[in-house]
Amino acid sequence: MYTITMSYAYHIASKKDLDNILRKGIDPTDSGAKTDKLIARTDEYLDAHKATSFNISRQASVYAYVVRDGFVYDITDGKKIAESAFICEHAGELLRLEIATERCYVSDTDAFDAVKDALQTGNDTATIEQLAGHYWDRIVPLDTFDFHSVRRPELMIPHAIKPRAVTKVT
């Protein structure tokens, strides 16, 4: 018998989107807060140069903060933040997502930023393709993720989040 392990993660949403998310859930193809054109371009490039057997897409995933043992892993600097402090820091825009760990993946934000920076500076194609391959090589399922292996982990949820799995935290 296959057992699904449920856990949770945190997702930051704009205040204007909160009511809609609580009513309808989160569609992974919505851009949400991703208005940065370079990030969108990097997602598109990575999806076009996917080198993984996992059925995931940068452009069709919900992104969230990884939580483990009462700490949230910050994607900006890799620091572990006490969950209570993280909740206070993001008052009014934080959502708790109930997730099945077997259906989620962890990406390496440093590897993503390397691709993004290479695209921005116009590095040669071979270098960017190599960086993209490295990015996809670093993707691991959440249920097998070693928290010491990635400095800035980001959770990728490659499916819709139903409204019943979303709770406004603050």
Side-chain angles (χ1 to χ4, degrees):
M1 181 174 168
Y2 182 73
T3 304
I4 294 177
T5 305
M6 297 303 290
S7 187
Y8 65 94
Y10 290 112
H11 177 77
I12 296 175
S14 68
K15 291 181 182 179
K16 70 176 182 56
D17 293 335
L18 284 177
D19 288 338
N20 191 46
I21 289 172
L22 292 170
R23 276 187 287 112
K24 297 181 179 180
I26 305 173
D27 180 340
T29 60
D30 286 347
S31 62
K34 279 193 177 182
T35 56
D36 184 305
K37 288 183 176 42
L38 182 57
I39 291 175
R41 181 175 160 221
T42 306
D43 286 348
E44 185 178 325
Y45 182 89
L46 284 167
D47 281 353
H49 294 84
K50 192 175 345 184
T52 183
S53 60
F54 301 128
N55 186 23
I56 54 176
S57 162
R58 288 276 325 164
Q59 296 175 93
S61 287
V62 175
Y63 292 89
Y65 289 84
V66 177
V67 180
R68 165 92 34 106
D69 299 328
F71 290 94
V72 178
Y73 289 76
D74 193 330
I75 63 166
T76 58
D77 59 15
K79 291 182 181 170
K80 290 189 332 184
I81 303 169
E83 198 170 343
S84 58
F86 184 80
I87 290 169
C88 289
E89 185 179 326
H90 296 286
E93 58 188 8
L94 192 62
L95 300 172
R96 180 180 163 132
L97 309 179
E98 299 299 322
I99 57 170
T101 59
E102 294 85 357
R103 297 182 63 207
C104 299
Y105 299 88
V106 178
S107 70
D108 182 339
T109 307
D110 288 328
F112 176 84
D113 284 350
V115 175
K116 182 178 73 167
D117 294 345
L119 287 169
Q120 184 176 32
T121 58
N123 278 345
D124 63 274
T125 303
T127 299
I128 299 171
E129 287 176 358
Q130 181 181 14
L131 291 168
H134 177 72
Y135 170 81
W136 288 113
D137 287 345
R138 302 280 296 153
I139 302 283
V140 294
L142 176 60
D143 59 347
T144 63
F145 178 61
D146 173 6
F147 281 82
H148 302 290
S149 64
V150 175
R151 187 177 75 88
R152 296 187 303 144
E154 181 175 45
L155 188 64
M156 296 176 72
I157 307 166
H159 55 81
I161 307 293
K162 296 183 189 273
R164 68 176 179 268
V166 179
T167 305
K168 185 177 178 188
V169 177
T170 53

